[in-house]
Amino acid sequence: MDTIFSLSTSPPPLLTPKFTQIPLKNLVPPRNPTTPPPRTLSNKLWLSKKLSPPPPPTPLTTPPPSLSNKLWLSKKLSPPPPPTLSNKLPPPLPTLSNKLWLSKKLSPPPPPPALLANDVEKSEKGKIFNEEMQKRVEKSEKGRIFVGNLPLWIKEKEVAEFFRQFGAIKNVILTKGNNGNEKNMGFGFVIYEGPKAEEAAIKALDFDGVEFHGRVMTVKLDDGRNDEGQKRYTWHEGRDGAVKEFKKVLETQPEDWQAVVWAYERIKKPSRKEFGLMVKYYARRGDMRRARETFEKMSARGIEPTSHEYTNLIHAYAVGRDMEEALCCVRKMKEEGIEMNLVTYSILVGGFAKVGNIEAAERWFKEAKEKDLTLNAIIYGNIIYANCQTFNMDRAEELVREMEEDSIDAPIDIYHTMMDGYTMTGNEEKCLIVFGRLRECGFTPSVVSYGCLMNLYVKIGKVSKAFEISEIMKLAGIKHNMKTYSMLMNGFINLKDWANAFAIFEDVIKDGFKPDVVLYNNIIRAFCGMGNMDRALRIVEEMTKERHMPNSQTFMPIIHAFAKAGEVRRALDVFDMMRRSGCIPSVHAFNALVLGLVEKRQMEKALQILDDMLRAGISPNEYTYTTIMHGYASLGDIGKACEYFSKVKNEGLELDIYTYEALLKACCKSGRMQSALTVIKEMTAKSIPRNTFVYNILIDGWARRGDVWEAADLMQQMRQEGVQPDIHTYTSFINACCKAGDMQRAMKAIEEMETVGIKPNVKTYTTLIHGWARASLPEKGLSFFEQMKQSGLKPDKAVYHCLMTSLLSRAAVADQDYIIMGIQCVCEEMVESGLTVDMGTAVHWSKCLRKIERTGGYLTNALQRTFPPDWSSHRTVNAASSDNENEEVSDNGDDEHNSLYEIESDANDDSDFYRRR
């Protein structure tokens, strides 16, 4: 069988079919007069593909292909020669290709498909791509290599250490993902520096295919594509804009937490930095729950917390005073191998200082020192604050000296902390020394500096001095703030100087300040102190209109005032009002009600409120029991006081200095001074320091017994321990001197008071007048009476009673003109003031008048105007019939004076107790 390779140059004769000699082009007119498309193989086969699928393969039984079939393709490539008569062969067997050949000739194929246009477009894009690649290569930074197939957890430092052997590295860039975590995308760039940077990059290509941490790296020269990769896409631009807006809100509107949260939530997939800023923001607000929630979200994103994030979370718990959770975070840090830094230690020390745990604060401060950390003024300020809060000023001074030895400059805040510590201990001298030292060190006193001095003088009862400091501050060009105004108002309210308290309120309005909740609460206190509770309730309504939410401190003075006035029903109505205002009555609100009843000596009703607390599911605290103890102590019932002291112990409540003060008061009131000394020993064993109030109770106890020597010893101990006496201390000591008849020592105490800047009050003058009356020198008492009026103090009923009794007693035995004139003047003042005496006092004074004026006279008529309305001469004669009875009445008069004296003292003590709590 012949093959195509054995054919001769002249083909054998073939039988050509007999067709008419009409050309094919004349059978079908051309569709387009233009030049037909070139006849390619693809064009020729196009129609056949569309009409029918390709023919199946020829079976083996078919006849062998003829020579014409074999040469069919060649005919299509080059047209065959015209047929001749000598080439007559039998016609070939019809095949599908032969049948379709004529149709191809009859109709030309459609225009070429769009694939050709795409090919042209791809070709053009390819040229552009090659041009861009050429430009990238030209622009690419010399000495820069691409590193691929890196572990996702790898860090820049480890990559730099691996490639540093070829040359100095300028930078390592690992591409991060958009999922917000800290993992990379598995590729990055290494940039060499120096004159041999390009040579180092070429040498680094030897690492292509080298295994690196379990992965085979891809290393090649940078072709510049990274420039395009570093372009900021719309997603990144939007995220960066949200981050910038978030930071701006944090700086400009930190008080608007809703704006901060809204700006934070706009950030798509926050990074470690944004998470950290949000945790820090919640930490400053003390929002422990949201700080923890944000911290957990960061961990869930795959961002491993560092020391910075843990420190912010610990700060949140410290501000919220939940030091147990703060310690849990510390333990978690240690488990993960994260080292605590100085900021963490400072926060822990400050947190324990705020909760009063000085032992824990000192322990963490010691650990920070043992780690050889470079301590700064912040951690020293926190540990100094911790010691000042526990009245340990010796340790605070030691820490200040330690700072100076380590050449750490103390900021002005530490000076303020020390001044506040000396204020709490009542040490005026050292507080002024620190203030002077502040100026010597080049600091300009601020409103806080002057505020510390004002707070000192308010707390030690020198409100006039505090007002002088405020005037000095104004002259220095420093304006008041709400805190300094509140201090002055508190001082005047404590002195019951309502006029000056409201004058301060007017100054607040004039200076353009808007009253806040604290100022409104002070005004409510003032009205309640005046007994005008209805006006106080109107202030509560005004607060609500000004969109200030009343708190428990708003309602407690009103409840206390109604209870003290004996209006228990109205006090309970205020309870209901507090509930409707959204304030849940707490143990403190019940305590205010109990205190008011205790001050009115209504102990049975106070115990009923105690039962109501238990029925409401509110457990009494140490303050509740201490208030009950104060009530029984004022009555001298040491048995009941000891009973509730035992309850405090048995229920596991804290035995603080206030509880011991109440127990001491009960012992001293009942005259059991040996029991009081036993209580003092127990306080010393528990390291509870003796403050001014404790010394006042002890001195008053010895004064009741007339033991001036023990009282003088206590005064000496106070000076040795650095405890400053106040007006109550001096008054109690003067009372001891007067009862002992040692008026010379009493006058020395008056001189000492003037030296230290403490002015006598009404109680002090009453004690002196009573002392001179005991010494049978009423003229001395009359001179102090005039001195009291000249100092601006208004005499009360006890002063008039004591002075008039002493003058009448003196006039009964010595007829002296100045005594008679003194009786007349005092009598006229009593009438003008509308004062009347009780029946017992009237009987005693009538007896003295009968000795002065047997048949009555001017003094009798004038003095009887101060007697009770039901006074009658018949009762006077009967009361005067027995000298013994008169003496008893006289004693009762003195007892009444003492009773008034003690009741007033107790009330002041209870108020101090309530205020200090």
Side-chain angles (χ1 to χ4, degrees):
M1 181 176 179
D2 295 334
T3 63
I4 190 170
F5 298 105
S6 63
L7 296 178
S8 60
T9 55
S10 58
L14 298 173
L15 295 177
T16 57
K18 295 181 180 181
F19 294 109
T20 58
Q21 301 297 321
I22 301 174
L24 292 175
K25 65 181 180 180
N26 295 328
L27 295 176
V28 180
R31 295 183 182 180
N32 195 351
T34 59
T35 305
R39 294 181 180 181
T40 61
L41 181 61
S42 60
N43 290 334
K44 291 177 180 180
L45 295 178
W46 182 79
L47 183 60
S48 63
K49 292 177 182 177
K50 302 299 180 181
L51 294 175
S52 61
T58 307
L60 297 176
T61 58
T62 57
S66 62
L67 183 60
S68 60
N69 291 335
K70 293 179 180 179
L71 296 179
W72 181 80
L73 182 59
S74 62
K75 290 177 183 178
K76 301 304 174 185
L77 298 176
S78 59
T84 57
L85 295 175
S86 60
N87 295 334
K88 291 183 180 179
L89 293 176
L93 296 175
T95 62
L96 181 60
S97 60
N98 291 334
K99 292 178 180 179
L100 294 176
W101 183 80
L102 181 60
S103 63
K104 295 174 185 177
K105 300 299 181 182
L106 293 176
S107 60
L115 184 61
L116 291 176
N118 291 339
D119 291 340
V120 173
E121 185 177 353
K122 288 181 180 179
S123 176
E124 292 176 355
K125 287 184 177 179
K127 291 179 181 180
I128 295 173
F129 178 76
N130 291 334
E131 292 176 359
E132 289 180 356
M133 289 297 295
Q134 184 65 26
K135 292 179 181 178
R136 287 173 180 170
V137 172
E138 293 175 357
K139 290 182 179 180
S140 62
E141 185 176 354
K142 304 299 180 184
R144 181 165 170 160
I145 60 173
F146 170 83
V147 184
N149 200 30
L150 293 170
L152 301 183
W153 51 265
I154 205 70
K155 302 296 182 184
E156 288 87 349
K157 182 179 179 181
E158 298 173 356
V159 176
E161 291 177 355
F162 189 74
F163 284 93
R164 189 172 285 120
Q165 52 189 304
F166 298 109
I169 292 178
K170 179 181 179 181
N171 194 13
V172 175
I173 302 174
L174 295 180
T175 304
K176 306 290 183 182
N178 293 334
N179 53 4
N181 57 28
E182 295 296 304
K183 295 181 179 180
N184 59 71
M185 296 292 290
F187 64 89
F189 303 91
V190 177
I191 306 171
Y192 288 97
E193 63 179 351
K196 296 183 179 181
E198 188 173 2
E199 182 180 348
I202 294 173
K203 289 181 180 180
L205 297 180
D206 295 339
F207 277 0
D208 186 28
V210 173
E211 184 175 348
F212 179 62
H213 288 283
R215 288 198 177 192
V216 179
M217 287 192 305
T218 299
V219 183
K220 56 186 177 181
L221 290 175
D222 178 31
D223 57 4
R225 280 184 291 179
N226 57 299
D227 293 336
E228 182 178 298
Q230 291 179 354
K231 289 181 179 179
R232 308 302 292 173
Y233 296 98
T234 305
W235 185 89
H236 294 87
E237 292 176 355
R239 184 184 179 281
D240 285 353
V243 171
K244 289 180 181 178
E245 181 66 22
F246 170 62
K247 293 180 179 179
K248 181 180 178 181
V249 173
L250 272 180
E251 294 176 358
T252 58
Q253 307 176 42
E255 69 284 348
D256 190 353
W257 69 271
Q258 292 180 336
V260 174
V261 173
W262 179 80
Y264 168 73
E265 291 177 348
R266 288 187 60 216
I267 303 174
K268 297 180 180 179
K269 298 180 180 178
S271 65
R272 178 195 299 275
K273 190 172 183 180
E274 287 77 55
F275 276 118
L277 287 173
M278 204 60 196
V279 174
K280 185 177 181 180
Y281 175 76
Y282 284 132
R284 289 181 175 177
R285 291 176 57 87
D287 195 338
M288 302 176 287
R289 185 181 64 83
R290 288 189 173 89
R292 185 74 189 192
E293 182 182 346
T294 306
F295 182 85
E296 296 295 342
K297 285 182 179 178
M298 180 185 68
S299 301
R301 285 282 185 89
I303 304 176
E304 297 179 357
T306 63
S307 176
H308 180 71
E309 285 75 36
Y310 269 114
T311 300
N312 285 333
L313 185 60
I314 292 171
H315 187 204
Y317 286 118
V319 174
R321 304 197 176 206
D322 190 351
M323 297 310 297
E324 291 296 329
E325 286 295 332
L327 292 179
C328 289
C329 294
V330 172
R331 287 191 289 269
K332 187 68 174 175
M333 287 179 68
K334 293 183 177 179
E335 290 174 2
E336 296 181 3
I338 300 175
E339 290 291 333
M340 296 172 60
N341 54 27
L342 184 61
V343 179
T344 314
Y345 281 108
S346 299
I347 291 172
L348 287 173
V349 173
F352 282 112
K354 289 180 180 178
V355 299
N357 192 342
I358 183 63
E359 293 80 9
E362 288 283 3
R363 184 171 63 252
W364 286 106
F365 179 75
K366 182 180 179 182
E367 184 176 324
K369 291 179 70 175
E370 291 174 351
K371 281 197 172 184
D372 294 330
L373 297 174
T374 304
L375 304 184
N376 57 15
I378 297 176
I379 191 170
Y380 269 108
N382 288 338
I383 192 63
I384 290 172
Y385 172 78
N387 283 279
C388 289
Q389 291 298 307
T390 55
F391 311 108
N392 191 357
M393 298 308 297
D394 294 335
R395 171 62 176 160
E397 293 173 2
E398 179 185 344
L399 290 166
V400 171
R401 288 192 295 269
E402 188 177 315
M403 285 182 64
E404 295 176 351
E405 292 172 359
D406 293 341
S407 300
I408 300 175
D409 294 331
I412 194 171
D413 293 338
I414 291 183
Y415 288 94
H416 295 158
T417 302
M418 293 294 292
M419 291 176 67
D420 189 57
Y422 289 125
T423 297
M424 288 187 288
T425 57
N427 195 332
E428 178 185 359
E429 180 182 358
K430 288 195 174 182
C431 187
L432 293 176
I433 291 174
V434 175
F435 183 77
R437 180 65 178 163
L438 180 148
R439 285 182 163 179
E440 293 174 2
C441 292
F443 291 108
T444 301
S446 64
V447 65
V448 180
S449 310
Y450 287 109
C452 289
L453 289 179
M454 292 166 62
N455 191 30
L456 166 70
Y457 288 121
V458 167
K459 288 201 170 183
I460 63 177
K462 299 180 181 180
V463 183
S464 58
K465 277 277 189 180
F467 191 75
E468 290 178 9
I469 295 296
S470 71
E471 295 298 323
I472 294 173
M473 185 177 70
K474 288 181 181 179
L475 293 176
I478 300 174
K479 294 183 178 180
H480 279 279
N481 58 18
M482 292 299 295
K483 287 187 177 180
T484 54
Y485 276 129
S486 297
M487 290 175 190
L488 288 175
M489 284 194 67
N490 283 332
F492 287 121
I493 290 172
N494 293 338
L495 292 180
K496 299 183 180 180
D497 190 348
W498 317 119
N500 281 321
F502 288 114
I504 296 296
F505 180 75
E506 292 177 359
D507 290 341
V508 172
I509 303 301
K510 288 179 182 178
D511 287 350
F513 290 105
K514 289 186 176 180
D516 57 1
V517 176
V518 177
L519 193 62
Y520 275 121
N521 290 348
N522 284 333
I523 293 297
I524 289 172
R525 280 185 58 208
F527 281 121
C528 290
M530 295 172 62
N532 194 349
M533 283 76 78
D534 293 330
R535 183 64 184 274
L537 290 174
R538 289 199 293 271
I539 295 295
V540 175
E541 296 176 0
E542 184 180 339
M543 287 179 64
T544 308
K545 291 179 181 178
E546 294 294 331
R547 299 182 180 274
H548 291 297
M549 291 299 296
N551 53 25
S552 59
Q553 298 295 327
T554 307
F555 293 102
M556 282 171 58
I558 306 176
I559 295 171
H560 172 245
F562 277 125
K564 186 177 180 180
E567 300 183 35
V568 181
R569 174 51 53 193
R570 295 199 66 181
L572 295 175
D573 291 341
V574 177
F575 256 77
D576 295 335
M577 181 190 298
M578 182 166 57
R579 291 190 181 98
R580 293 193 300 269
S581 300
C583 298
I584 301 175
S586 61
V587 64
H588 304 292
F590 279 104
N591 288 343
L593 185 56
V594 170
L595 179 62
L597 295 172
V598 166
E599 290 183 351
K600 292 295 290 183
R601 305 295 184 266
Q602 299 181 12
M603 300 305 298
E604 293 183 1
K605 290 184 178 180
L607 294 180
Q608 291 176 3
I609 297 299
L610 197 62
D611 295 336
D612 293 340
M613 289 178 64
L614 296 173
R615 283 194 292 269
I618 299 176
S619 299
N621 58 10
E622 58 271 13
Y623 176 83
T624 314
Y625 290 127
T626 303
T627 305
I628 298 293
M629 289 175 62
H630 268 282
Y632 283 117
S634 299
L635 298 175
D637 192 342
I638 189 172
K640 285 288 187 179
C642 290
E643 177 185 341
Y644 283 95
F645 182 80
S646 300
K647 282 190 176 184
V648 176
K649 275 187 174 182
N650 297 335
E651 295 184 12
L653 300 175
E654 181 184 1
L655 290 171
D656 56 10
I657 191 169
Y658 306 104
T659 311
Y660 281 105
E661 283 178 8
L663 188 59
L664 276 173
K665 186 177 178 182
C667 295
C668 293
K669 276 275 190 177
S670 60
R672 298 176 62 173
M673 297 307 298
Q674 295 302 319
S675 299
L677 295 179
T678 304
V679 175
I680 291 295
K681 290 179 181 179
E682 185 176 338
M683 291 176 61
T684 306
K686 292 190 175 184
S687 300
I688 298 177
R690 286 179 285 184
N691 58 15
T692 305
F693 298 95
V694 172
Y695 278 109
N696 289 350
I697 294 170
L698 291 173
I699 293 173
D700 186 65
W702 290 114
R704 291 174 185 276
R705 300 180 62 172
D707 196 335
V708 68
W709 300 105
E710 291 288 348
D713 288 342
L714 288 172
M715 292 286 290
Q716 188 64 25
Q717 287 181 25
M718 290 184 72
R719 298 186 183 95
Q720 292 174 356
E721 295 180 7
V723 180
Q724 295 298 317
D726 60 5
I727 182 64
H728 301 292
T729 313
Y730 282 108
T731 302
S732 296
F733 180 69
I734 291 170
N735 187 31
C737 297
C738 292
K739 285 192 175 183
D742 192 350
M743 297 307 297
Q744 185 177 0
R745 181 172 290 188
M747 295 308 299
K748 288 183 179 179
I750 291 292
E751 294 175 0
E752 184 178 339
M753 287 177 63
E754 295 176 353
T755 304
V756 298
I758 299 177
K759 294 182 179 180
N761 58 12
V762 175
K763 178 71 162 46
T764 311
Y765 281 112
T766 304
T767 305
L768 280 172
I769 293 171
H770 188 66
W772 288 115
R774 282 175 174 269
S776 300
L777 292 172
E779 59 273 12
K780 291 282 188 179
L782 188 60
S783 64
F784 276 102
F785 177 77
E786 296 297 331
Q787 184 179 338
M788 176 179 63
K789 292 191 295 182
Q790 291 175 4
S791 63
L793 297 176
K794 184 178 180 180
D796 59 3
K797 186 175 181 179
V799 175
Y800 285 115
H801 172 275
C802 180
L803 183 60
M804 183 61 73
T805 301
S806 63
L807 291 174
L808 288 174
S809 299
R810 181 68 172 175
V813 296
D815 187 7
Q816 298 177 357
D817 294 338
Y818 71 90
I819 297 293
I820 301 299
M821 292 179 61
I823 294 174
Q824 292 176 354
C825 293
V826 172
C827 186
E828 290 175 359
E829 290 183 13
M830 290 181 67
V831 172
E832 291 176 359
S833 301
L835 295 177
T836 58
V837 297
D838 57 21
M839 188 61 67
T841 305
V843 170
H844 177 65
W845 286 1
S846 177
K847 173 180 175 290
C848 295
L849 284 171
R850 290 182 69 244
K851 293 181 179 180
I852 300 171
E853 298 177 341
R854 293 288 180 181
T855 60
Y858 176 78
L859 288 180
T860 302
N861 294 333
L863 200 58
Q864 285 184 356
R865 294 168 64 187
T866 64
F867 288 179
D870 57 348
W871 171 258
S872 65
S873 60
H874 175 70
R875 294 180 60 184
T876 304
V877 172
N878 291 337
S881 62
S882 175
D883 291 340
N884 295 332
E885 187 178 354
N886 288 336
E887 291 176 2
E888 183 179 356
V889 171
S890 176
D891 292 340
N892 290 337
D894 291 341
D895 289 342
E896 180 195 357
H897 162 66
N898 292 335
S899 177
L900 291 172
Y901 178 93
E902 292 170 4
I903 289 173
E904 182 183 1
S905 175
D906 291 345
N908 290 335
D909 289 345
D910 289 342
S911 300
D912 290 337
F913 164 73
Y914 175 63
R915 183 174 62 254
R916 287 185 291 142
R917 283 292 227 175

